[in-house]
Amino acid sequence: FWALGWTRMRSSGAIAVALSVLALLGQALAFKANEFKTCSQSSFCQRLRNVPPEHKFVLRLDTVAADETGFVTAKIAVVGESAEGLYHDDLDFALAAYGDGVVRLKVSQPGRFEVPEVLMDDLKQVPLVSVSKTGSQQTLGFLDSKVVLTFDPIKVEVYGNKKSTSPTVVFNENGLFDFERQRKPGGASGSESWPETFGSHSDSRPNGPMGLSIDVHFPGVSHVFGIPERATAFSLKPTKELSSNGHTLHEPYRLYNLDVFEYLHDHPFGLYGSIPFITAKKSGSTSGAFWLNAAEMYVDVWKGGEGTSTQWVSESGVVDLFFFVGPEPKDVTRQYAAMTGTTQMPQLFSLGYHQCRWNYKDEEDVASVDRNFDLHGIPCDVIWLDIEHTDGKRYMTWDKAHFPTPEKMQGALEEKGRKMVTIVDPHIKKDDSYPVFKEASGKGYFVKKKDGTDFDGWCWPGSSMYLDMLDPEIRKWWATLFVPQVYKGSTESLYIWNDMNEPSVFNGPEITMHKDNLHHGGVEHREVHNIYGYLYHMATADGLVYRGQKSKAKPSDRAFVLSRAFFSGTQRVGPIWTGDNTADWDHLRVSIPMCLTLGVSGLTFSGADVGGFFGNPDTELLTRWYQLGIFYPFFRAHAHIDTKRREPWVHGEETMSRIRSAIQLRYSLMPYLYTLFHQAHKDGTPVMRPIWYEFPNQEAAYSTQDAFLFGQALLVSPVLEPGAKSVRVSLPGDDLWYDLLGEDVHDAKVSPSVDVAVTMDSIPVHLRGGTIVPRRMRPRRNTKAMTHDPYTIVVALDKVQEARGSVYVDDGSSFDYKEKRKFLRSTFVFKHYRLENDVYHNGLYFSNASTMVEKIVVRGLTKKISAIDAGRMTIKYFECTQDKSGLWTLVIKKPGLSLTENWSLKMRGH
């Protein structure tokens, strides 16, 4: 199957090249542990892991100072280590605090690389005020928190509350902080041993050992989460086990972006993206730590009677460490977002269903897929094209034999309200007849080898070169290539998919780029590896915004670019997916902790390939995956070129009907989902949430990874085993939980877990008492067709007959919500048998016809409603029925209300 794309190359020479590449690719078709490094094969990890330095780091008391903003600086002396051959002796120390409850600790030296383009520009610093000082310690206060500095050896304790006797998080509690200072080659530096090899590849390491180690301790904590990406448990397992006889080390968690085919479903190995951010949870407290460092990194986790400790070792860079004091999960999310940004407000279409395959073979294939969605009444917003649509893997081109009229193809989709996405990978085919290559080569825009010549690696096109995305000039140039005048055959309804941007290099070490390659400013690739894909993603998204700015046909719209590689800050750019998974039950199950981990790590716009990328799912697995997948924030089905076709209608009427029902359920929840994304855009709150996010003191739920919350209102308990006849549903809190698709009501205080019978038709989804969910119930072909549909307001009452919710509406595409405040935001409140719509802001300026309410459903009433007072209006059509639990459900039809206006319904009954 690999040869399929290559045979389209025009020359026998190209085919010969392709055959050479196939030999290289054969080694990368599945996960093989020997092709990827472990800690024992990484010299910096060997040197630093679990090894307290023989020297110590002492904060020099005579250098401690604070500027007018309260930024505390000092020098750190390294005691007990020779200074011979060093470029710099002392280390620079800095401590700062920010207004949202964040402490920043920085240790650096001149010339060390610091990661750009991640932190927000408008960080709001607050003064650190000296509270007390002795010869060994200094206490600093800010807001309601405090920081205690211990000088010899250095230790930093951060207290979320000034009155607390126990710190929230501690730096260097275990004495594992180390900072390898750069030495001059020659002499006693041992520079002859600096080069390293892995397999057939050599790394010259011209700057020598520059590794870093930090340890971060979370007192009293037993669960930590985060540091994606990997397929493993949500609550991170210890990699170091303590015992009376010492300790046992397992492979640490790795953060190093790599192209991993058929990854294992339970393994600490790092995958396509890296976010060096960890969240710690205990009853009554949530905290976190984020290390802004883009080099290769390993993280150990171990637990003891005093809490949970972590050690992080990195190959290079600086210590730029952020502590988040919480205390609630939502506070940590907000604090991290204040530093690195919130989720981009997506276009509405991007929250719909995406149909993808490697590859839809031609324009008629695309048209057939499009027709079948309409024929079978299945909603779909986007059809995708993989690498085979291009002319010989020259991205932003078309295979004219199979896609001769791409504008017409896109236009046909756009007429129905659908979009198209094409793939644009970072490897640029080495071909002087390819305009993108020719211009980039002429301008010197490619990553260099250590000798200064252009780096030539192998990927899908064969010989390829890679743009130096560290250079702002190159990113700006790349962004100009997406206008239709340059990207011939594209239209303004075409969006982009960035794959292989770790970057993937088939003939490189670990299938990626050599670490001693050179970027803008002479920076080695080892320093920027984990942000390369993020910068490429950013530049591509900027290109779509630029396209809109140049358009005369419509206002500039928000970018939609899917990426496989990611880093902290990616949430500001666009969605990601979990890569090349497999069509089996293990990968179905692990998709939940993977997406939950991404969500609590700031990157909520994510999803797994529905059905699995590799392999052929049977109808049971495929159905169950759709029933789960509709609750991924990003919802796409995708499949490998070698798999059987599996569009929703392929497996017959029964399976298609179930898949259609699942997809229609997602579309009916679109107003709720779009409102959730607006909240994520405001403060970083994840869409797909762990149970503990809403129930932070329910310790039994800390390790739950077989169920989750979709926003604050919906509990999703998917079927994760073949042949299941029931699902054990754990109901958090003391709330009432209503079956979303049926009449059952459960009291979590009385029955904290229940066995729910299941058929193949659906999975258990429960609506939380005390919430209000806006919906649109009319089946449509896509989100655009829903634009003028009326709303249904679903009220689920709690035990005291109250509920609350909200809705956010804008045009779903432009930046007018931000630049012109053209949006609607209102709050629903049910209290004292009165339902109110309180409009916070209405800047939409369109007719009420687009925001009419056609139905209101109130569940959980303790009395029958016999009359409804709507002021000057008359409510004619309503009924109130009693369910088997004894509670009443009120259904109001055609109330004549609009979301754009304040209104109140007073209900009377007996």
Side-chain angles (χ1 to χ4, degrees):
F1 63 88
W2 295 97
L4 185 65
W6 298 90
T7 55
R8 297 180 187 170
M9 292 181 172
R10 300 293 193 262
S11 69
S12 59
I15 294 174
V17 168
L19 293 175
S20 300
V21 174
L22 289 178
L24 295 166
L25 289 178
Q27 302 174 16
L29 300 184
F31 180 77
K32 298 178 182 178
N34 65 323
E35 293 179 351
F36 300 99
K37 282 186 178 181
T38 61
C39 175
S40 65
Q41 295 168 306
S42 299
S43 63
F44 75 92
C45 190
Q46 282 183 295
R47 293 192 307 272
L48 299 172
R49 184 191 188 194
N50 201 47
V51 179
E54 296 179 358
H55 45 277
K56 65 178 180 177
F57 297 86
V58 178
L59 203 64
R60 286 177 45 192
L61 186 59
D62 61 315
T63 65
V64 177
D67 62 21
E68 63 277 4
T69 67
F71 205 109
V72 175
T73 61
K75 294 290 186 179
I76 296 177
V78 185
V79 179
E81 182 182 47
S82 170
E84 182 181 353
L86 292 176
Y87 283 104
H88 305 282
D89 191 354
D90 287 350
L91 308 177
D92 297 318
F93 172 87
L95 196 70
Y98 297 95
D100 214 35
V102 181
V103 174
R104 183 180 187 181
L105 184 159
K106 195 169 182 180
V107 183
S108 59
Q109 280 195 318
R112 304 277 289 220
F113 180 74
E114 298 187 20
V115 178
E117 303 293 346
V118 171
L119 297 179
M120 300 298 288
D121 294 331
D122 58 347
L123 298 183
K124 296 176 175 60
Q125 191 173 329
V126 296
L128 280 164
V129 180
S130 182
V131 176
S132 64
K133 188 174 184 179
T134 68
S136 60
Q137 283 188 337
Q138 182 170 5
T139 299
L140 303 162
F142 73 102
L143 303 177
D144 294 324
S145 306
K146 67 179 180 181
V147 180
V148 177
L149 295 178
T150 299
F151 302 140
D152 185 5
I154 185 172
K155 183 165 78 169
V156 180
E157 299 166 281
V158 180
Y159 293 74
N161 189 305
K162 290 178 179 178
K163 297 179 181 178
S164 176
T165 58
S166 175
T168 304
V169 58
V170 184
F171 171 78
N172 206 30
E173 171 74 10
N174 298 286
L176 293 173
F177 169 58
D178 204 349
F179 192 113
E180 293 183 328
R181 297 171 291 174
Q182 186 180 2
R183 296 182 180 273
K184 301 171 184 176
S189 68
S191 56
E192 68 280 353
S193 65
W194 287 355
E196 290 182 352
T197 59
F198 179 71
S200 61
H201 299 282
S202 178
D203 175 9
S204 61
R205 290 206 311 152
N207 296 317
M210 295 178 66
L212 307 166
S213 168
I214 61 173
D215 82 64
V216 179
H217 177 67
F218 299 98
V221 163
S222 57
H223 293 272
V224 290
F225 311 86
I227 55 172
E229 181 183 36
R230 66 202 76 255
T232 190
F234 180 44
S235 177
L236 292 170
K237 302 173 186 176
T239 59
K240 182 163 74 170
E241 296 183 22
L242 306 181
S243 68
S244 57
N245 298 321
H247 60 262
T248 301
L249 292 177
H250 304 287
E251 186 62 21
Y253 297 107
R254 190 184 190 198
L255 289 94
Y256 193 61
N257 297 1
L258 291 171
D259 178 2
V260 186
F261 272 66
E262 294 184 297
Y263 56 81
L264 302 178
H265 72 273
D266 187 9
H267 200 277
F269 188 84
L271 299 178
Y272 311 97
S274 300
I275 300 178
F277 169 35
I278 200 164
T279 297
K281 187 80 196 77
K282 65 179 180 180
S283 183
S285 175
T286 311
S287 55
F290 163 53
W291 186 3
L292 181 53
N293 186 303
E296 182 184 3
M297 187 181 295
Y298 292 87
V299 181
D300 268 317
V301 175
W302 66 98
K303 301 178 181 181
E306 301 300 317
T308 296
S309 291
T310 60
Q311 183 190 11
W312 314 49
V313 295
S314 176
E315 185 174 17
S316 56
V318 302
V319 176
D320 196 358
L321 186 60
F322 296 78
F323 299 118
F324 310 110
V325 301
E328 297 295 329
K330 296 173 184 178
D331 297 319
V332 171
T333 298
R334 187 184 68 254
Q335 290 155 1
Y336 175 75
M339 299 297 105
T340 65
T342 63
T343 300
Q344 174 216 39
M345 191 65 206
Q347 288 205 53
L348 183 60
F349 83 79
S350 68
L351 306 185
Y353 174 57
H354 299 249
Q355 183 64 53
C356 186
R357 178 175 179 81
W358 180 20
N359 203 89
Y360 290 119
K361 58 187 179 181
D362 54 29
E363 290 180 0
E364 175 50 37
D365 198 4
V366 171
S368 175
V369 171
D370 174 50
R371 283 194 302 269
N372 272 293
F373 276 110
D374 293 337
L375 177 65
H376 298 293
I378 301 171
C380 177
D381 266 82
V382 192
I383 296 176
W384 294 52
L385 294 178
D386 211 320
I387 55 177
E388 308 303 333
H389 82 278
T390 63
D391 176 12
K393 312 304 184 297
R394 299 168 181 87
Y395 300 107
M396 295 183 278
T397 67
W398 302 85
D399 180 343
K400 293 300 184 183
H402 296 86
F403 297 92
T405 57
E407 296 103 324
K408 183 179 178 182
M409 173 179 61
Q410 295 160 60
L413 293 175
E414 175 68 8
E415 285 180 4
K416 293 183 176 182
R418 294 194 174 111
K419 314 294 183 183
M420 173 163 276
V421 167
T422 56
I423 195 167
V424 178
D425 288 348
H427 42 268
I428 306 298
K429 181 179 176 66
K430 188 178 180 181
D431 178 359
D432 283 330
S433 67
Y434 177 29
V436 175
F437 172 81
K438 185 175 182 180
E439 184 175 359
S441 179
K443 293 182 175 181
Y445 280 175
F446 292 121
V447 174
K448 311 299 181 187
K449 294 191 293 186
K450 61 185 178 183
D451 63 5
T453 60
D454 286 347
F455 170 70
D456 186 340
W458 293 82
C459 210
W460 297 124
S463 182
S464 304
M465 294 187 177
Y466 295 75
L467 293 167
D468 180 7
M469 288 297 179
L470 186 63
D471 189 336
E473 177 186 329
I474 298 173
R475 295 200 303 271
K476 186 175 181 180
W477 168 79
W478 177 252
T480 66
L481 303 186
F482 292 90
V483 295
Q485 296 88 338
V486 179
Y487 185 174
K488 302 293 185 181
S490 71
T491 69
E492 292 176 1
S493 64
L494 182 72
Y495 297 87
I496 303 298
W497 169 20
N498 288 163
D499 196 1
M500 315 295 284
N501 53 336
E502 293 76 26
S504 178
V505 182
F506 291 152
N507 63 335
E510 301 190 90
I511 319 176
T512 193
M513 192 173 286
H514 298 74
K515 288 184 175 181
D516 53 5
N517 280 357
L518 297 175
H519 291 264
H520 176 62
V523 175
E524 285 192 290
H525 183 72
R526 80 182 73 249
E527 306 279 5
V528 306
H529 178 83
N530 284 345
I531 60 166
Y532 182 85
Y534 161 58
L535 295 174
Y536 179 72
H537 189 197
M538 178 196 302
T540 304
D542 288 346
L544 295 191
V545 174
Y546 176 83
R547 178 183 72 183
Q549 292 169 345
K550 294 297 181 180
S551 171
K552 296 180 181 179
K554 63 176 184 178
S556 181
D557 61 7
R558 308 165 212 164
F560 175 79
V561 181
L562 179 73
S563 175
R564 190 169 70 176
F566 57 85
F567 192 72
S568 296
T570 290
Q571 69 273 11
R572 304 197 306 264
V573 181
I576 64 99
W577 89 107
T578 61
D580 297 340
N581 59 354
T582 301
D584 61 38
W585 290 88
D586 286 330
H587 277 82
L588 171 71
R589 281 187 287 269
V590 81
S591 72
I592 300 174
M594 291 182 78
C595 290
L596 288 175
T597 296
L598 288 162
V600 299
S601 302
L603 186 47
T604 193
F605 201 0
S606 69
D609 281 343
V610 171
F613 178 66
F614 290 106
N616 297 298
D618 60 24
T619 57
E620 182 184 14
L621 176 60
L622 185 64
T623 300
R624 294 306 191 196
W625 214 317
Y626 270 97
Q627 290 168 346
L628 166 61
I630 64 170
F631 297 104
Y632 295 149
F634 174 63
F635 177 36
R636 182 185 75 156
H638 185 35
H640 190 277
I641 196 170
D642 204 34
T643 62
K644 299 175 183 177
R645 295 291 284 258
R646 59 165 99 130
E647 288 77 16
W649 51 85
V650 167
H651 293 288
E653 178 64 34
E654 188 175 43
T655 298
M656 180 185 69
S657 177
R658 290 166 175 157
I659 292 173
R660 176 174 54 219
S661 294
I663 297 174
Q664 286 177 343
L665 176 57
R666 181 180 178 97
Y667 276 76
S668 77
L669 292 167
M670 199 59 67
Y672 173 66
L673 178 55
Y674 198 62
T675 301
L676 292 178
F677 265 96
H678 178 250
Q679 184 177 4
H681 176 63
K682 287 197 306 177
D683 60 17
T685 300
V687 171
M688 184 176 175
R689 304 173 189 175
I691 306 298
W692 55 255
Y693 198 89
E694 293 290 330
F695 299 89
N697 295 323
Q698 191 154 333
E699 296 184 54
Y702 289 177
S703 58
T704 298
Q705 60 181 37
D706 58 357
F708 58 91
L709 291 163
F710 192 60
Q712 73 279 9
L714 295 178
L715 173 66
V716 181
S717 306
V719 176
L720 301 174
E721 300 291 340
K725 302 300 182 185
S726 66
V727 172
R728 189 71 172 172
V729 176
S730 295
L731 302 169
D734 297 331
D735 298 324
L736 296 177
W737 292 92
Y738 301 81
D739 183 350
L740 182 68
L741 304 177
E743 294 185 355
D744 289 346
V745 184
H746 304 284
D747 185 339
K749 188 172 184 179
V750 175
S751 302
S753 62
V754 293
D755 286 317
V756 177
V758 295
T759 68
M760 284 300 300
D761 291 337
S762 63
I763 62 173
V765 182
H766 289 87
L767 180 60
R768 180 181 177 185
T771 63
I772 301 177
V773 173
R775 302 182 68 177
R776 273 177 159 162
M777 303 302 293
R778 298 184 183 183
R780 299 293 190 188
R781 63 160 53 122
N782 50 49
T783 55
K784 186 174 182 179
M786 300 169 68
T787 300
H788 300 295
D789 282 354
Y791 288 80
T792 293
I793 309 300
V794 180
V795 182
L797 298 178
D798 63 16
K799 294 177 183 178
V800 295
Q801 300 288 276
E802 294 181 0
R804 189 178 184 90
S806 63
V807 66
Y808 172 85
V809 184
D810 61 26
D811 64 16
S813 60
S814 78
F815 291 98
D816 284 355
Y817 77 96
K818 180 168 59 176
E819 296 171 353
K820 300 179 181 179
R821 288 183 57 80
K822 294 181 71 171
F823 64 86
L824 167 70
R825 203 170 102 204
S826 68
T827 300
F828 308 115
V829 177
F830 188 101
K831 191 173 184 178
H832 303 312
Y833 289 92
R834 183 187 297 274
L835 176 62
E836 295 182 340
N837 180 49
D838 182 9
V839 177
Y840 166 79
H841 177 78
N842 177 19
L844 290 181
Y845 312 116
F846 53 59
S847 70
N848 288 350
S850 299
T851 56
M852 293 302 294
V853 177
E854 71 171 344
K855 185 186 290 187
I856 297 172
V857 180
V858 183
R859 299 183 66 178
L861 289 159
T862 56
K863 62 183 180 182
K864 183 177 182 179
I865 301 302
S866 56
I868 302 173
D869 181 4
R872 291 175 293 177
M873 297 181 58
T874 301
I875 303 297
K876 296 180 180 179
Y877 308 105
F878 70 92
E879 60 180 346
C880 198
T881 57
Q882 193 171 31
D883 60 35
K884 60 185 177 181
S885 71
L887 298 173
W888 295 84
T889 297
L890 172 68
V891 177
I892 305 172
K893 298 180 179 179
K894 300 180 180 179
L897 304 172
S898 170
L899 297 179
T900 59
E901 299 173 342
N902 293 328
W903 44 259
S904 176
L905 301 181
K906 177 63 178 177
M907 302 168 193
R908 295 191 297 272
H910 57 275

